[in-house]
Amino acid sequence: MATAKQTARPERYNPHAIEKKWQEIWAATDLYRVTDDPNRPKWYHLTMYPYPSGNLHIGHWYAMAPSDAAARYKRMSGYNVLFPLGFDAFGLPAENAAIKHGIHPYTWTMANIAHMREQLRSMGTMADWSREVVTCLPEYYRWNQWFFLQFYKKGLAYRANAPVWWCPQCQTVLAFEQVVDGRCERCGTEVYRRELEQWFFRITNYAEELLDFGGIQWPERVKAMQRNWIGRSEGARVAFKTETNRSIEVFTTRPDTLWGATFLVLAPEHPLVNELTTPEQREQVEQYVLQARRESEIERTAVTREKTGVFIGSYAINPVNGARVPIWIADYVLMSYGTGAIMAVPAHDQRDFAFARKYDLPIIVVIEPEGEELDPATMTEAFAGDGVMIQSGQFNGTPTAGGEAVRRVIAWLDETDRGHGEITYRLRDWLISRQRYWGTPIPIVYCEACGIVPVPEDQLPVVLPENAEFTPTGQSPLVTDPEFVNTTCPGCGGPAKRETDTMDTFVDSSWYQYRYLSPHFDQGPFDLEAAARWTPVDQYTGGIEHATMHLIYSRFFTKAIRDLGLLDFNEPFLRLMTQGIILGEDMEKMSKSRGNVVDPDALVAQLGADVVRLFLMFVAPWEMGGPWSSRGIAGIERFVNRVWSLVTETAANPVNQPEDAGAQRLRRLTHRTIRAVTEDIAEFHFNTMLARLMEFVN
RNA sequence: GCGGAAAUGGCGGAACGGCAGACGCGACGGUCUUAAAAACCGUUGGGGAGACCCGUGCGGGUUCGAAUCCCGCUUUCCGCACCA
């Protein structure tokens, strides 16, 4: 604080007066209103919009303040920069708050948004609030419904009875991506499979295209995670006929080992299991199936677990050599991958080898390594390396290196109609149905006469009714509102019932970047002209935790919207930067229970937003994240004070001297600093950028 | 197991083929003060009185020169995983 003695000197840095003054001026002059300007190049910097939980935490600041700084830099170097903010306003926490406190989700959400908007203002962002998007408003979610209808028309949205992941705590189904280690991504409860009729988006249609990252600059690790997630496997589909003339399809990546297939293994849930089980094996098989069903997915998929299985009594014929092979079931074969059945080649696959040894099944070597002879009787592990095909009819002698054998065998399978080349993906279709209240109603009507009827576009939005029972019952809360449920069929006018499931909130965030361009546009999801001017997004910033959900769904949506003819590019986000996580001072993840949470509001009240922002840029390499340091922020405070006194004192006592050697050195350093800072900020190396500036001030 | 990232002072981290440790924190010494805090100035990888010597997870290699490039390990973090 300034004392009486110091009044002759320039005033000390007072962040509160300065920030208040300028934030008021920015608001009054509408400084950050973005308009089209053909004279300047455009730059669309999008930062992931927050969920309105009620409070901005330090992680929000860490994500947004440096993003804001990067966007500002672009603006100050001549670009017409769009940096919008909004709120991801649908979702489970609002429903939980409603149940807990008796507040309507809408009231709770909108109050949180009002508070967080003010917190974001206190951060001093250059956000253009006139473009704010709030996804729980009908003017927004109407277009989720519109997209759903377009996808439905194109066969990209479909309803299917499928085994789905069910969270007993949240009383809802989850998307494949939302199950982490067999547990609900949100509440951590163990989930299980259940058969339900649900809505899906056919994201697998785009699996191949989603593997192509051409033309976008994304971090290697995000691309790797997505590749991994999509999980492409090249191989062949081959049909094994049973002795009762049923066909069991298997997928294999090693068709060149077909001659070594000595048994088949089906998933316990495989539809043919019941029919193919012989009377003498029935009791054992049924017991095993029951046991597998009781076990959680975690137990079933544990790597260390010993393989178990049961012979079901039937045999199939190996289509390449006519060999009679027994059919088994085992819980390590998953119904959800491939065809739910495998051919087992114990000589050349370690899992099959272990299984064969345990149950004393035959092992036939069909790939011989160079200069070595494998003896099935004495082998201790499967041979998975390259070699030459043997005991494989006309393919004997074919080398396996470079995929040669695989290609030739696939060609032959195709010719002789025994099978065909196939590519399998780990990626599943996106399950979008949720048995929840606080989401976008799915615009479908069920009519006894006409069946599934999409709501006509001119009847959108299907508005979420205000009165519904939120308490989870396992059914959608919307079921409890007869006024909503009972309707008339748009086709025949007869009585009909509305779909009561709502959409996954990831639908909202899959296209919000387009809505910012014309947030109140009512002729379509977005103004095509505005989209043509601003999109795709030049720079996207956000958390790495969205690598396999939001960032895949968004890419899918953009490709699907392109195929509707609304966009003419393939990728929504050209350049992606992901920030790390700010940990507590104890190097642990911040959590209330650990008591290591840093409250940004308190810091801003004490030090001002600029000091907090600068420190978050300095504390760690932005992409890495790191531990918070309550001591370290004092260094930034000193730095800002030094800059302030340097500038104000120089202004108070200007010196006009001819350029001496010192001034020349300073000039040189100034230019070196400008150059270094320019390079650093372009790469989001904010910590070294600040180090440069400190050096310069020193 | 597969894929990705990483390992550098007391701490967070710079440098990414050319003086290792920028910048910040902390620590120590000093100026100011009756005193303290703040602020400011200086010192701060280890060893040695010193010229010097040793130092970037471990082991090799390439190079006039390696924290940086190559090969082989170890450990940590992240994602995926009985994926057929």
Side-chain angles (χ1 to χ4, degrees):
Chain A
M1 283 295 119
T3 64
K5 260 178 157 179
Q6 289 171 310
T7 46
R9 300 176 58 203
E11 237 179 277
R12 278 208 62 174
Y13 174 62
N14 179 345
H16 305 295
I18 295 164
E19 286 170 15
K20 182 165 184 282
K21 174 183 162 189
W22 287 105
Q23 284 172 19
E24 275 169 11
I25 292 174
W26 296 343
T29 58
D30 225 358
L31 181 66
Y32 295 125
R33 169 82 63 134
V34 181
T35 51
D36 294 322
D37 180 352
N39 297 315
R40 286 184 296 162
K42 70 96 181 177
W43 186 260
Y44 188 177
H45 185 140
L46 182 70
T47 187
M48 291 181 188
Y49 65 173
Y51 178 78
S53 55
N55 250 310
L56 281 190
H57 54 72
I58 201 77
H60 287 123
W61 275 70
Y62 187 65
M64 292 183 178
S67 295
D68 179 64
R72 248 168 218 278
Y73 167 75
K74 275 289 177 187
R75 181 182 148 107
M76 292 168 89
S77 38
Y79 287 84
N80 191 23
V81 176
L82 178 60
F83 182 76
L85 284 173
F87 294 94
D88 185 17
F90 271 139
L92 193 60
E95 240 167 298
N96 290 342
I99 294 161
K100 199 168 164 191
H101 307 299
I103 312 169
H104 193 277
Y106 177 84
T107 316
W108 185 85
T109 303
M110 294 313 273
N112 288 349
I113 287 175
H115 183 226
M116 288 173 79
R117 202 184 282 129
E118 285 320 300
Q119 288 180 305
L120 284 163
R121 276 190 212 274
S122 84
M123 188 190 286
T125 68
M126 54 174 272
D128 176 359
W129 289 102
S130 73
R131 293 170 180 270
E132 183 191 62
V133 152
V134 176
T135 57
C136 66
L137 300 178
E139 72 168 4
Y140 187 85
Y141 70 69
R142 167 184 182 181
W143 301 107
N144 284 342
Q145 296 172 340
W146 186 85
F147 280 124
F148 179 95
L149 295 176
Q150 310 311 310
F151 289 2
Y152 183 76
K153 261 189 253 172
K154 295 200 68 171
L156 284 175
Y158 67 96
R159 187 168 159 85
N161 195 10
V164 295
W165 293 108
W166 180 261
C167 173
Q169 172 72 33
C170 301
Q171 292 277 311
T172 187
V173 298
L174 299 170
F176 173 50
E177 287 83 355
Q178 288 161 332
V179 178
V180 180
D181 290 336
R183 291 171 184 281
C184 171
E185 180 231 359
R186 261 224 154 98
C187 70
T189 306
E190 216 168 89
V191 299
Y192 58 90
R193 298 282 235 167
R194 178 174 175 180
E195 289 272 321
L196 273 178
E197 186 105 338
Q198 301 289 305
W199 287 98
F200 293 85
F201 282 163
R202 211 180 290 279
I203 191 172
T204 52
N205 269 17
Y206 292 86
E208 198 59 46
E209 202 192 333
L210 287 167
L211 283 167
D212 178 7
F213 296 95
I216 57 177
Q217 290 175 54
W218 280 28
E220 202 46 55
R221 61 173 168 165
V222 176
K223 290 193 283 185
M225 274 190 238
Q226 293 205 351
R227 265 188 224 110
N228 215 317
W229 193 258
I230 295 165
R232 182 183 200 272
S233 283
E234 238 173 277
R237 184 186 278 251
V238 183
F240 282 62
K241 282 257 157 54
T242 67
E243 290 176 325
T244 54
N245 211 30
R246 300 304 295 250
S247 177
I248 297 174
E249 305 249 306
V250 304
F251 174 73
T252 176
T253 55
R254 292 293 305 273
D256 53 334
T257 64
L258 257 164
W259 286 261
T262 54
F263 58 103
L264 293 184
V265 188
L266 310 188
E269 304 87 348
H270 196 284
L272 287 177
V273 169
N274 190 42
E275 182 188 323
L276 294 176
T277 300
T278 54
E280 53 277 17
Q281 294 300 111
R282 184 157 300 276
E283 197 186 331
Q284 224 191 330
V285 167
E286 281 178 353
Q287 239 175 34
Y288 188 82
V289 170
L290 269 178
Q291 183 197 321
R293 195 175 295 157
R294 245 184 280 119
E295 276 167 349
S296 73
E297 194 83 5
I298 305 176
E299 287 168 322
R300 264 184 71 170
T301 59
V303 185
T304 50
R305 181 185 162 89
E306 187 171 334
K307 282 158 195 52
T308 59
V310 174
F311 176 47
I312 66 172
S314 295
Y315 292 82
I317 301 303
N318 186 331
V320 299
N321 58 9
R324 186 170 182 254
V325 298
I327 304 169
W328 287 62
I329 56 171
D331 60 4
Y332 75 90
V333 176
L334 306 173
M335 203 56 225
S336 53
Y337 184 79
T339 61
I342 61 165
M343 65 174 206
V345 184
H348 306 292
D349 179 284
Q350 189 51 37
R351 283 163 310 168
D352 298 344
F353 182 84
F355 198 84
R357 276 277 186 265
K358 180 169 176 183
Y359 294 107
D360 204 17
L361 292 156
I363 298 173
I364 299 175
V365 173
V366 293
I367 308 289
E368 189 108 277
E370 205 177 328
E372 202 186 325
E373 204 165 306
L374 294 174
D375 179 3
T378 57
M379 281 171 85
T380 53
E381 58 176 15
F383 171 70
D386 276 320
V388 177
M389 290 175 73
I390 59 166
Q391 305 197 60
S392 301
Q394 78 266 42
F395 287 97
N396 285 342
T398 310
T400 63
E404 178 60 24
V406 171
R407 275 192 299 275
R408 282 213 226 159
V409 171
I410 290 178
W412 175 76
L413 288 172
D414 234 331
E415 267 167 46
T416 58
D417 222 18
R418 287 176 164 88
H420 58 269
E422 189 172 87
I423 294 163
T424 294
Y425 301 90
R426 198 184 87 97
L427 183 73
R428 320 285 161 75
D429 277 336
W430 175 11
L431 168 63
I432 62 150
S433 292
R434 293 294 178 278
Q435 289 68 46
R436 288 184 190 152
Y437 170 70
W438 195 231
T440 304
I442 294 174
I444 287 287
V445 159
Y446 300 98
C447 168
E448 270 180 38
C450 316
I452 298 175
V453 183
V455 174
E457 279 174 38
D458 60 11
Q459 288 175 30
L460 297 184
V462 175
V463 177
L464 192 61
E466 242 178 78
N467 302 310
E469 182 59 53
F470 312 128
T471 323
T473 59
Q475 280 187 315
S476 170
L478 294 183
V479 174
T480 64
D481 187 339
E483 266 183 63
F484 175 82
V485 175
N486 296 314
T487 184
T488 50
C489 172
C492 67
K497 292 194 186 302
R498 283 193 192 280
E499 169 65 64
T500 54
D501 286 354
T502 54
M503 293 183 203
D504 182 6
T505 52
F506 278 113
V507 174
D508 308 350
S509 53
S510 292
W511 65 280
Y512 74 120
Q513 71 272 20
Y514 304 121
R515 189 65 185 169
Y516 278 134
L517 308 175
S518 48
H520 309 296
F521 189 64
D522 63 2
Q523 302 302 303
F526 50 87
D527 180 343
L528 294 181
E529 277 175 39
R533 276 193 300 272
W534 286 101
T535 57
V537 170
D538 298 284
Q539 176 70 62
Y540 197 24
T541 51
I544 185 79
E545 67 274 19
H546 292 109
T548 51
M549 290 190 271
H550 164 59
L551 287 172
I552 285 192
Y553 295 146
S554 295
R555 293 180 66 217
F556 157 67
F557 244 78
T558 288
K559 293 171 195 302
I561 295 173
R562 172 203 62 197
D563 292 344
L564 295 175
L566 271 59
L567 299 171
D568 62 359
F569 51 86
N570 304 321
E571 292 285 346
F573 315 121
L574 298 179
R575 193 165 180 248
L576 173 71
M577 289 295 237
T578 54
Q579 81 277 353
I581 296 170
I582 286 295
L583 301 169
E585 287 206 85
D586 53 5
M587 296 287 254
E588 300 285 335
K589 216 174 159 183
M590 280 193 201
S591 76
K592 277 181 194 150
S593 57
R594 284 205 185 86
N596 60 354
V597 175
V598 175
D599 173 20
D601 286 351
L603 287 168
V604 173
Q606 196 195 335
L607 303 166
D610 283 330
V611 168
V612 178
R613 289 171 61 123
L614 283 173
F615 183 59
L616 287 170
M617 296 168 85
F618 185 66
V619 66
W622 194 62
E623 282 194 86
M624 303 276 175
W628 176 261
S629 165
S630 53
R631 287 216 164 120
I633 198 168
I636 292 291
E637 195 192 2
R638 277 177 216 145
F639 168 67
V640 173
N641 274 301
R642 270 205 299 278
V643 172
W644 178 265
S645 30
L646 184 70
V647 173
T648 52
E649 277 167 31
T650 311
N653 314 292
V655 262
N656 254 328
Q657 283 176 350
E659 286 226 336
D660 58 11
Q664 264 185 31
R665 269 209 333 264
L666 183 61
R667 181 181 298 269
R668 198 165 294 137
L669 180 63
T670 305
H671 285 285
R672 273 218 306 271
T673 304
I674 290 170
R675 184 191 177 137
V677 166
T678 304
E679 286 168 3
D680 279 346
I681 202 164
E683 294 304 314
F684 285 55
H685 294 163
F686 304 117
N687 57 334
T688 50
M689 172 198 79
L690 269 161
R692 292 292 185 185
L693 289 170
M694 286 173 177
E695 216 171 331
F696 179 64
V697 169
N698 291 347

